[in-house]
Amino acid sequence: MELKRKTIAKVIAAAFVFNLVVMGAGAWVAYQEAPPIPEEVVGPDGETVITGEDIRDGKKTFQKNGLMNHGSILGNGAYYGADYTADSLELKTQHMRTYYAEERYGTEYDSLSTAEQAAVDDDVKQDLSGEYEGGNIEYSAAELYAHQQVRQEYVERYHEGSHERGVPEEMIDSEADARQFADFALWTAWFSHTDRPDGEHSYTNDWPYEPAAGNDATGAAMTWSVIAMVLLVAAAGGGIWLYQSVSLPEPSADGLSVPDPGDVSIFPSQRAALRFIPVAAGLFLAQVLLGGLLAHFYIERAGFFGIEEIFGVHILQLLPFAMAKTWHIDLGILWIAATWLGAGLFLPPLLTGHEPKRQSTYINILLGAIVVVTVGGLGGIWLGSHGYFGDLWWVVGNEGLEYLEVGKLWQVGLLVGFGLWAVLSIRGLKPLLDREPVFGLAHMILYAGGSIALLFTAGFFFTPETNIAVTEFWRWWVVHMWVEGAFEFFIVAIIGLTLVSMNLLSRRSAEKAVMLQALLVMSTGVIGVSHHYWWVGMPDMWVPIGSVFSTLELLPLVFILYEALGQYRAMSETGGFPYKLPFMFIIASGVWNFVGAGVLGFFINLPLINYYEHGTYLTVGHAHAAMFGAFGFLALGMVTYMLQLAIRPGRWDGSWLRAAFWCWNVGLALMVFVSVLPVGFLQLEAAFTGSYAAARSVAFYNQPLVQTLFWARLPGDTLIILGTAIYAADLIRKRFVLRASEDDPTVEDMAVAEGVMSDD
């Protein structure tokens, strides 16, 4: 089957419009159907318990103090602490049982007979059942008692501190703020057990699983899980058929002259782009060291191998889990993004032989801006969480939402950085842009980078005042559409550009391959975000939509896996191929993308499985394999390629990078398959047989088997840290053998550029 580039471009445009219409309509629905924040919550005698303003202030406290990176809300956030929705719901039911046991029988609940306990349980479920009919929320006497008790417990836990739970003292500054945080958590618990008007289940589709409150998986979760599994088989078969049917070129060195690194000159702008590498490496090393600390926090909740006995202070008080995890996440995004930006500026001269005036100066300015935003953003997180910015904490300091932790000011800085990168890329690619159609390869790399920036703007559609359900709707626009849409698009575009620069593919062939894969990525990954809306207060229409499109997300990953296998064959069959080491990283990226995003992603996104596992260690395994395995390895592959071209001929030594490559791969495999996933499966069982809150409890994490599995993570984490240290040390070595750049570069200095420019 022959597909023309123009035809694919038209289909991509149609898919873009379709995505825009569907998700635009979804945004309207999100505002209409979000769980209501009442004017007041009143007790049985009509007295005011809390106001809507208390709930909004509680959300501000939640964000300001970084509580989303200690525990989670509606299943989203960190998995170290409790899920505040499930925890407050469980505590609410427990205290309501206590109230009714004392009121009806004059004794504790645990002292009641089985029949008496069943009667109390029915009273609790009766209080918590029913739909919201508008106006104020009206508490029963038992609910009022439970609310007061949960408030007090949250003051003791999050203000006074609880080292056995890993909560530092004064995590929340004041008792009043801690009470308002409890009000916010209890409001999310309320709409998790309260049915929508004229609905058959709650605002969260009866999540979390809590039998005591009457919450259980809906029929739709089962039905659409079965449909998704059937669709998986069809999609996998369809993907294989499509790959075999569509005439797509595979990289090959047969009959082609692959340029030796010594045949390629280095332009001043490329030397400038190389400076992104050590900056990114420093961020990478800091990230993995923090990752090791975070893993150990699950074993010693307030200590680190006993150093508190020596220095007399718990590390938890110096560097709380929430702060360490915030930096760990942001550093991961920043080092990968910085590497990709550097690669995007390094490649254009290889293809065009063109060096715009003062390009290197502008690249240095961009790097400086990124450093300023990085230091300002990471420092602002700490300062904002400690109250240094007053009411501007979410603007200059920390916004406090997972993956969007930095303040709005620094987010604007990142957006401006993307814009500057786009301008510099256009300058570098201009000779190619001028002669190719709008669907050409150079245009595709700009579209991919532009889509990352465009989706990032969704993070500006909410403030701390915004309803948490609407906040989560827009937050996932950034996070998921980056990972499953824009990032995947960038991967296929950057790989296509790299293969052309190696002379393994013609530009026209690469364009067709990139466009087809981009079509599949953008057609499934954008609307696929909807599987994140199942349990956060969005309507149940997202269950079938999310099930279908999340399953179809496997389709482009099949293509990427086939592409990785094709690249491996090309590398294996070519004896003198000089770029085997960069190819190893690119192949590893494709394989980990399929395993992490495809296999593990599909499994946890079946609605029935996701209902129980949402926010467990199964998600941790998926996230690490996909983020580092797919995106991190691609970034490191680009670094290896850039370095191989930039090192003086005859001085290239890839042995240290090869050692780091195997440390990272073996370490990631050990971490995911020996430790993280087994813990996740145990959590899934605990949730299914008990409750979701039980699966996220400290009691679960402190079980001997689970603790053993946490210790089993040590070898994998150690290898990842070792690999990163080797990588950083190798960069220092290679700094002293870099080639000088050409003083007056021309197209003749690039071995591939002339052929690329004439390939029309």
Side-chain angles (χ1 to χ4, degrees), residues 468-649:
I468 184 63
V470 176
T471 298
E472 285 298 277
F473 178 87
W474 289 119
R475 186 179 73 88
W476 281 115
W477 263 58
V478 179
V479 178
H480 177 95
M481 291 189 196
W482 264 7
V483 174
E484 300 293 346
F487 281 11
E488 297 283 4
F489 187 7
F490 194 88
I491 280 181
V492 297
I494 204 78
I495 290 176
L497 209 63
T498 304
L499 293 175
V500 172
S501 75
M502 293 178 179
N503 213 24
L504 294 179
L505 278 180
S506 70
R507 179 164 57 87
R508 292 169 61 88
S509 297
E511 286 169 356
K512 184 180 294 186
V514 169
M515 290 173 67
L516 183 58
Q517 292 181 64
L519 170 62
L520 295 174
V521 166
M522 299 305 285
S523 296
T524 60
V526 174
I527 300 178
V529 68
S530 51
H531 70 253
H532 294 290
Y533 300 155
W534 293 340
W535 326 123
V536 299
M538 293 290 102
D540 60 0
M541 71 177 195
W542 291 115
V543 175
I545 296 173
S547 300
V548 170
F549 281 90
S550 292
T551 302
L552 292 177
E553 284 175 351
L554 184 69
L555 201 58
L557 298 180
V558 170
F559 268 67
I560 291 172
L561 178 64
Y562 266 95
E563 183 180 75
L565 296 175
Q567 292 161 356
Y568 176 77
R569 283 194 297 270
M571 184 183 72
S572 301
E573 294 169 359
T574 307
F577 182 57
Y579 304 110
K580 287 189 177 182
L581 188 55
F583 251 58
M584 287 169 61
F585 282 95
I586 294 173
I587 293 165
S589 170
V591 172
W592 278 111
N593 202 355
F594 181 77
V595 172
V599 176
L600 299 180
F602 169 78
F603 165 69
I604 66 172
N605 286 333
L606 289 170
L608 190 61
I609 299 296
N610 194 260
Y611 178 83
Y612 295 101
E613 82 75 36
H614 177 51
T616 68
Y617 252 59
L618 290 176
T619 305
V620 176
H622 156 66
H624 281 78
M627 188 69 178
F628 178 49
F631 307 134
F633 273 111
L634 175 65
L636 294 165
M638 297 310 302
V639 167
T640 307
Y641 181 49
M642 293 161 66
L643 289 174
Q644 193 167 354
L645 293 177
I647 298 297
R648 296 176 202 157

Side-chain angles (χ1 to χ4, degrees), residues 246-549:
V246 175
S247 178
L248 286 178
E250 292 192 1
S252 173
D254 293 342
L256 294 175
S257 175
V258 177
D260 189 87
D263 298 334
V264 178
S265 297
I266 294 299
F267 289 10
S269 64
Q270 292 176 301
R271 280 298 299 267
L274 286 171
R275 297 190 181 101
F276 282 75
I277 296 176
V279 172
L283 300 177
F284 184 19
L285 183 59
Q287 188 214 4
V288 297
L289 290 173
L290 285 172
L293 173 64
L294 292 172
H296 192 75
F297 266 132
Y298 282 87
I299 298 170
E300 290 186 83
R301 293 237 152 198
F304 188 73
F305 294 104
I307 64 170
E308 65 277 3
E309 301 296 333
I310 301 173
F311 297 102
V313 60
H314 290 279
I315 192 172
L316 183 69
Q317 292 299 134
L318 298 175
L319 185 60
F321 182 94
M323 184 61 62
K325 183 175 183 291
T326 297
W327 284 342
H328 175 72
I329 289 175
D330 288 352
L331 286 167
I333 295 172
L334 287 167
W335 81 257
I336 291 174
T339 306
W340 283 7
L341 293 178
L345 296 171
F346 185 91
L347 289 174
L350 294 176
L351 304 175
T352 66
H354 173 62
E355 175 79 356
K357 291 181 179 180
R358 301 181 61 83
Q359 181 81 340
S360 60
T361 300
Y362 297 138
I363 290 176
N364 288 330
I365 292 173
L366 173 60
L367 179 59
I370 290 174
V371 170
V372 169
V373 170
T374 298
V375 174
L378 296 179
I381 290 170
W382 190 89
L383 292 170
S385 67
H386 285 76
Y388 286 98
F389 296 127
D391 292 338
L392 295 177
W393 56 270
W394 63 280
V395 177
V396 186
N398 59 308
E399 190 168 20
L401 298 171
E402 190 181 33
Y403 292 101
L404 296 176
E405 287 88 356
V406 298
K408 294 292 190 189
L409 174 66
W410 308 111
Q411 292 179 30
V412 170
L414 290 171
L415 200 57
V416 171
F418 274 117
L420 181 55
W421 174 84
V423 171
L424 295 178
S425 297
I426 291 171
R427 281 167 53 88
L429 292 167
K430 192 173 188 308
L432 199 52
L433 293 168
D434 288 344
R435 64 188 302 136
E436 71 176 15
V438 293
F439 48 78
L441 187 60
H443 284 81
M444 297 300 283
I445 197 72
L446 294 176
Y447 298 154
S451 65
I452 295 175
L454 179 64
L455 293 173
F456 192 45
T457 61
F460 295 92
F461 293 166
F462 54 83
T463 72
E465 295 276 352
T466 306
N467 187 301
I468 184 63
V470 176
T471 298
E472 285 298 277
F473 178 87
W474 289 119
R475 186 179 73 88
W476 281 115
W477 263 58
V478 179
V479 178
H480 177 95
M481 291 189 196
W482 264 7
V483 174
E484 300 293 346
F487 281 11
E488 297 283 4
F489 187 7
F490 194 88
I491 280 181
V492 297
I494 204 78
I495 290 176
L497 209 63
T498 304
L499 293 175
V500 172
S501 75
M502 293 178 179
N503 213 24
L504 294 179
L505 278 180
S506 70
R507 179 164 57 87
R508 292 169 61 88
S509 297
E511 286 169 356
K512 184 180 294 186
V514 169
M515 290 173 67
L516 183 58
Q517 292 181 64
L519 170 62
L520 295 174
V521 166
M522 299 305 285
S523 296
T524 60
V526 174
I527 300 178
V529 68
S530 51
H531 70 253
H532 294 290
Y533 300 155
W534 293 340
W535 326 123
V536 299
M538 293 290 102
D540 60 0
M541 71 177 195
W542 291 115
V543 175
I545 296 173
S547 300
V548 170
F549 281 90

